[in-house]
Amino acid sequence: MNIFLFGETNTTAQNLKNLVFKSDKNFLLYSCSRNKGDVYIDLEKPSTFKNLNLKNSSVLISFAPIWKFTKFLKEVNLLDNQFLKKIDFMIVCSSSSIESKRFAANIFDKNLFYKLKKSEDTLSELCDQHKIKLKIIRPTLIYGNYGLFKDKNFNKIKNFLNIFPVIIFPKNSGLRQPIHCSELAELFFYLLNNLN
């Protein structure tokens, strides 16, 4: 199975790559990045899709911001309407903000909700048109380090707790269900192993 991984420069993607490489399954994983991936892809430049040598039964996995990933695929579809026909499955990371920010009063949160909603809807429509199976995962708060890849927020909080062992949160900050990057990677790996 050919797997094309977008947004590989985060801790979850690195954990997933490790799981895939250790697997005894017949997985071929290609990192798609504008920096140091196996395949040069710039989500801001849809013409770079030509670097992807998709074979039939390809799987796309994305940890990139969903609005960038969706816009890229939408524009690629306009450039070559046969491209998406080679994809069987997509597993895409979104955000639980689509649920938690739905009724927010804050303009930033409202805009985030609309951006996520529009992206997910557009991606779903594209997948329906091309008969691609789609799984959208909406984690709340991803934390944790992996090798050289560091979670900036997690490490800032950890360093702060070394100085002052109490964290003060605003009263109405909402509930969070943190998930470690390795656990989220395991979920994506589980979905890869159970595509049907």
Side-chain angles (χ1 to χ4, degrees):
M1 177 188 308
N2 295 298
I3 304 162
F4 295 89
L5 177 65
F6 294 80
E8 68 129 15
T9 56
N10 69 55
T11 56
T12 307
Q14 292 302 308
N15 271 283
L16 179 62
K17 282 174 71 172
N18 189 40
L19 290 171
V20 168
F21 291 140
K22 287 182 176 178
S23 169
D24 59 357
K25 300 274 182 158
N26 191 20
F27 292 143
L28 291 173
L29 188 136
Y30 304 94
S31 298
C32 304
S33 172
R34 67 174 179 239
N35 296 324
K36 57 178 183 168
D38 301 316
V39 182
Y40 174 75
I41 295 292
D42 186 342
L43 294 179
E44 304 290 328
K45 298 175 183 170
S47 62
T48 59
F49 86 93
K50 293 173 183 169
N51 297 330
L52 282 172
N53 185 16
L54 289 190
K55 300 175 174 61
N56 288 334
S57 303
S58 292
V59 176
L60 301 188
I61 296 179
S62 177
F63 294 103
I66 190 170
W67 51 89
K68 288 184 179 182
F69 182 69
T70 300
K71 183 175 183 233
F72 174 78
L73 289 181
K74 186 177 175 185
E75 291 177 10
V76 165
N77 190 48
L78 294 173
L79 294 170
D80 178 359
N81 64 1
Q82 297 302 305
F83 176 79
L84 293 177
K85 293 189 186 323
K86 297 175 185 169
I87 300 165
D88 280 356
F89 210 101
M90 281 191 220
I91 309 171
V92 180
C93 194
S94 183
S95 169
S96 66
S97 292
I98 198 166
E99 299 296 335
S100 62
K101 309 289 189 201
R102 174 177 262 157
F103 303 109
N106 176 317
I107 193 72
F108 176 82
D109 290 344
K110 276 185 181 178
N111 288 338
L112 178 59
F113 162 74
Y114 288 120
K115 187 189 272 191
L116 290 167
K117 176 93 172 97
K118 183 179 177 194
S119 300
E120 285 190 13
D121 290 348
T122 302
L123 189 58
S124 294
E125 287 167 18
L126 272 175
C127 288
D128 286 346
Q129 285 171 13
H130 295 281
K131 297 182 176 35
I132 300 168
K133 294 173 191 148
L134 172 66
K135 290 284 183 201
I136 296 175
I137 308 301
R138 296 173 176 165
T140 302
L141 179 66
I142 306 165
Y143 72 96
N145 298 328
Y146 182 84
L148 299 174
F149 292 81
K150 303 297 180 195
D151 173 344
K152 292 179 188 133
N153 293 329
F154 179 71
N155 288 307
K156 281 181 187 173
I157 292 169
K158 195 171 138 189
N159 290 337
F160 182 76
L161 285 172
N162 288 335
I163 299 165
F164 189 72
V166 176
I167 297 178
I168 300 168
F169 287 106
K171 184 177 180 184
N172 295 320
S173 66
L175 297 174
R176 299 289 180 267
Q177 180 64 48
I179 184 168
H180 194 274
C181 56
S182 63
E183 294 171 320
L184 185 56
E186 285 172 17
L187 172 61
F188 274 72
F189 188 66
Y190 172 82
L191 292 172
L192 265 179
N193 283 298
N194 298 279
L195 291 180
N196 295 323

